[in-house]
Amino acid sequence: MATSQHPPPLEILVRGSDGFSIWNGPPFVDNQPTTKKLDKVACTSTKFSEDGSKLLVTKPETLSIYECRGFGEIKSFEVPNLLAAALSPCGTYLQTFQKSSTPQEKNVVLWKVDTGDLVYSQFQKNMTKVSWPAIRFSSDETVACRMATNEIQFFDTKDFSKGVIHRLRVPGVVAIELSRTPGTHIAAFVPESKGVPASIQIFACGDSQTQPIARRSFFRCSTVQLNWNNGSTGLLIVVQADVDKTNQSYYGETKLNYLTTDGVHEGLVPLRKEGPVHDVQWSPSGSEFAVVYGFMPARATVFDKKCKPLLELGEGPYNTVRWNPKGKFLCLAGFGNLPGDMAFWDYKEKKQLGRTKSECSVTSEWSPDGQYFMTATTAPRLQVDNGIKIFHYNGALYFKKMFDKLFQADWKPESSDKFGEIDLLVKSVESLNVDQKKTQGQGSKVSQTSQKTAPSNPPVQKPAAYRPPHAKNAAAIQAELLGEGPKETLSKNAMRNKKKREKQKEKKAGEAASSANDV
């Protein structure tokens, strides 16, 4: 394992219309990335294993596995009628799902990557985003399981030829989520049926475990999102109903629930604003989580493991939250149908570092070392303005590149433990940037002044209320109609003309009075 003194280089996978290539990540030489000596490979999709050791490349007729040190192809699989494929977290196994012609054909296949051997197969009628991959692994691949009808089946990850070694009966189960680090617990979702409320049940992964160690029931529940923390001690559950009983939201109603494996906490997270739960993410430590919630402008709050608020991040047009891998920095963003505002926070220092925008972003993620934040506008979600932007941890734009067509931009996964402490990394990069600026010569006086006067901790401003275009000058028009135009808004010429008109009125009034006296 690499030490923090010699961290691995950052690398970025970029896939366009002509195939994928690998960039050497920041800091760039001459502000431009270099491409590894790898010919662009035509493909339809690519996906790293969770630990970044292997790369799955789907080609028109084959599946190829690349090792990620030199990005050489190590194994190729011919899988006809392929519908989906996935690598196990450590890249040991390849799982494929094929279109089946008969029920007797086993169309879910597990392959050993190193040897290319088939180690397990089964039949599955259909596959959804919730049920794929069919076989779930913990991050260290010590636990493997699959969801079947009314039960969860467990395997021996060292010998799949044994078949199912343990069955956990859960009547009506339709979705499961295995804790990843470590794989000690599994959550099962059972939907509402015949007046019986929906439920989430947590089980310990073991041969003798048959009863849930934690349980939570819900009425008006259509779907759930399950989020385990690192350490497998807490589970966040976003419960969504298709219909909002208050009629405040067209998209239904969402609630955030929290369950712990020790049974200490079971219930709703106390959110302080009405509205949907837009996003929730655990910190890398697993000790706190951040939530973006409420009707726009949304609110963002960081809670501890006891659901007590630790830090309020203010309100704004946000629907996304991202922790950096070191747990020090946070990015709040508004993507999708929002204009792309981003706010960067230092969680340790409890202060905002900066704000910026990245319009039309489809994907976003921190670099493995926690210093850079990359956003990408990709097809087929958006067919125009495709490109990549990389920002510093404080929101300053570091790099931008546009593409005619971009399908994917991902950091190569690396363990954050392989990199040094984030404070030391930040100082080293800042000193490098200062040296680069000195070698590039002095900038203009205006730019230097703006850099010196830019606040390091800009205050969080509350968004102004929306005013329709026709109402922008309503106050001025009304004052003019009532003859109450404010003096401070008049120019010198306007003031001079107004005095002339007043004098003329006085003169006419005086003439009229004198003529009346003569009569």
Side-chain angles (χ1 to χ4, degrees):
M1 180 176 176
T3 64
S4 59
Q5 295 179 352
H6 302 284
L10 298 178
E11 294 175 329
I12 303 172
L13 184 146
V14 179
R15 181 166 63 90
S17 55
D18 54 350
F20 80 90
S21 59
I22 304 296
W23 288 0
N24 288 312
F28 298 138
V29 178
D30 297 328
N31 297 322
Q32 290 297 323
T34 56
T35 304
K36 281 187 171 292
K37 293 181 179 179
L38 174 72
D39 294 334
K40 284 196 174 182
V41 180
C43 59
T44 56
S45 67
T46 58
K47 181 67 176 178
F48 284 107
S49 61
E50 186 179 306
D51 66 350
S53 63
K54 304 288 195 308
L55 175 66
L56 171 63
V57 179
T58 306
K59 300 178 181 179
E61 297 181 357
T62 60
L63 285 172
S64 296
I65 309 297
Y66 288 73
E67 55 85 20
C68 292
R69 288 187 177 180
F71 286 94
E73 184 176 347
I74 58 175
K75 191 64 67 175
S76 179
F77 298 84
E78 292 188 7
V79 185
N81 302 319
L82 179 70
L83 296 178
L87 282 172
S88 60
C90 299
T92 308
Y93 299 100
L94 168 67
Q95 189 174 168
T96 60
F97 174 59
Q98 302 164 257
K99 184 177 181 181
S100 178
S101 56
T102 62
Q104 291 74 28
E105 181 181 358
K106 295 182 178 181
N107 57 342
V108 176
V109 181
L110 193 68
W111 313 80
K112 190 74 175 292
V113 169
D114 292 341
T115 62
D117 295 336
L118 187 156
V119 297
Y120 179 78
S121 61
Q122 67 179 50
F123 170 76
Q124 189 142 339
K125 185 176 181 181
N126 51 39
M127 197 72 69
T128 64
K129 187 176 180 181
V130 174
S131 60
W132 179 255
I135 300 174
R136 309 292 179 92
F137 290 86
S138 60
S139 293
D140 57 4
E141 295 187 359
T142 57
V143 180
C145 64
R146 69 177 287 261
M147 180 182 66
T149 304
N150 296 327
E151 68 179 19
I152 303 171
Q153 302 173 350
F154 291 85
F155 302 90
D156 183 347
T157 57
K158 295 180 180 179
D159 188 1
F160 277 89
S161 63
K162 295 180 180 179
V164 179
I165 61 173
H166 172 55
R167 300 174 189 271
L168 179 63
R169 182 160 178 78
V170 186
V173 60
V174 297
I176 61 173
E177 191 67 29
L178 177 66
S179 63
R180 308 299 295 269
T181 310
T184 54
H185 296 83
I186 189 166
F189 170 58
V190 178
E192 184 177 351
S193 177
K194 298 179 180 179
V196 179
S199 66
I200 292 290
Q201 302 174 57
I202 296 179
F203 299 87
C205 296
D207 295 343
S208 60
Q209 182 63 45
T210 58
Q211 297 298 320
I213 61 175
R215 180 188 177 101
R216 176 77 174 164
S217 298
F218 320 94
F219 281 104
R220 294 184 299 105
C221 172
S222 305
T223 59
V224 294
Q225 299 173 30
L226 306 175
N227 301 275
W228 282 104
N229 68 338
N230 285 333
S232 304
T233 59
L235 177 70
L236 289 170
I237 309 156
V238 180
V239 179
Q240 183 164 6
D242 292 335
V243 179
D244 182 4
K245 67 176 184 179
T246 64
N247 293 324
Q248 291 181 291
S249 175
Y250 172 81
Y251 299 100
E253 182 183 10
T254 57
K255 298 291 184 182
L256 182 61
N257 292 262
Y258 178 50
L259 283 175
T260 56
T261 54
D262 58 6
V264 173
H265 195 284
E266 174 195 329
L268 287 169
V269 177
L271 303 180
R272 301 182 179 183
K273 186 173 184 178
E274 292 292 329
V277 177
H278 304 287
D279 196 14
V280 58
Q281 189 179 38
W282 283 99
S283 72
S285 67
S287 299
E288 55 269 320
F289 58 92
V291 190
V292 183
Y293 59 96
F295 295 113
M296 290 296 164
R299 190 169 187 172
T301 307
V302 178
F303 295 88
D304 64 9
K305 290 194 297 184
K306 296 181 179 180
C307 286
K308 294 181 180 179
L310 297 175
L311 179 63
E312 292 290 347
L313 304 178
E315 297 186 350
Y318 305 127
N319 60 5
T320 303
V321 59
R322 296 282 186 270
W323 288 89
N324 86 325
K326 295 289 187 178
K328 178 177 174 61
F329 300 129
L330 271 167
C331 178
L332 293 177
F335 297 141
N337 60 346
L338 295 177
D341 293 80
M342 297 194 300
F344 291 84
W345 284 79
D346 187 328
Y347 172 69
K348 303 295 184 183
E349 299 295 331
K350 304 293 189 292
K351 67 178 182 180
Q352 187 181 128
L353 300 174
R355 287 184 173 187
T356 186
K357 268 193 175 186
S358 183
E359 297 87 350
C360 304
S361 297
V362 176
T363 62
S364 61
E365 195 53 73
W366 286 94
S367 60
D369 67 349
Q371 292 188 80
Y372 302 94
F373 189 77
M374 179 171 67
T375 64
T377 303
T378 58
R381 174 73 177 271
L382 291 173
Q383 300 291 344
V384 296
D385 297 331
N386 286 188
I388 295 172
K389 293 179 182 178
I390 299 177
F391 299 86
H392 284 291
Y393 64 91
N394 59 3
L397 181 63
Y398 175 72
F399 173 78
K400 177 180 179 180
K401 184 177 177 61
M402 304 304 292
F403 293 79
D404 291 333
K405 195 69 67 177
L406 178 66
F407 292 102
Q408 185 179 359
D410 289 329
W411 297 102
K412 174 179 169 290
E414 292 284 358
S415 171
S416 62
D417 295 335
K418 295 181 180 181
F419 301 91
E421 292 298 324
I422 188 67
D423 294 330
L424 299 177
L425 291 173
V426 167
K427 289 180 181 178
S428 64
V429 171
E430 287 178 347
S431 63
L432 178 63
N433 292 336
V434 170
D435 292 339
Q436 288 179 349
K437 289 179 181 178
K438 288 181 179 179
T439 58
Q440 292 173 359
Q442 299 296 326
S444 64
K445 293 182 179 180
V446 175
S447 63
Q448 291 175 8
T449 304
S450 62
Q451 290 177 359
K452 291 179 180 179
T453 58
S456 59
N457 185 17
V460 179
Q461 297 180 355
K462 187 175 180 179
Y466 172 75
R467 298 183 66 191
H470 65 80
K472 288 183 177 179
N473 298 321
I477 295 173
Q478 182 179 7
E480 184 177 350
L481 291 174
L482 297 176
E484 299 174 355
K487 294 182 180 180
E488 62 274 14
T489 60
L490 299 177
S491 64
K492 292 182 179 180
N493 290 333
M495 288 291 293
R496 195 178 299 116
N497 293 332
K498 183 180 179 182
K499 289 180 179 179
K500 288 181 180 180
R501 288 194 298 270
E502 290 175 351
K503 288 182 179 180
Q504 290 177 356
K505 288 180 181 179
E506 292 176 359
K507 185 177 179 181
K508 289 180 180 180
E511 292 177 351
S514 61
S515 62
N517 292 331
D518 294 338
V519 174

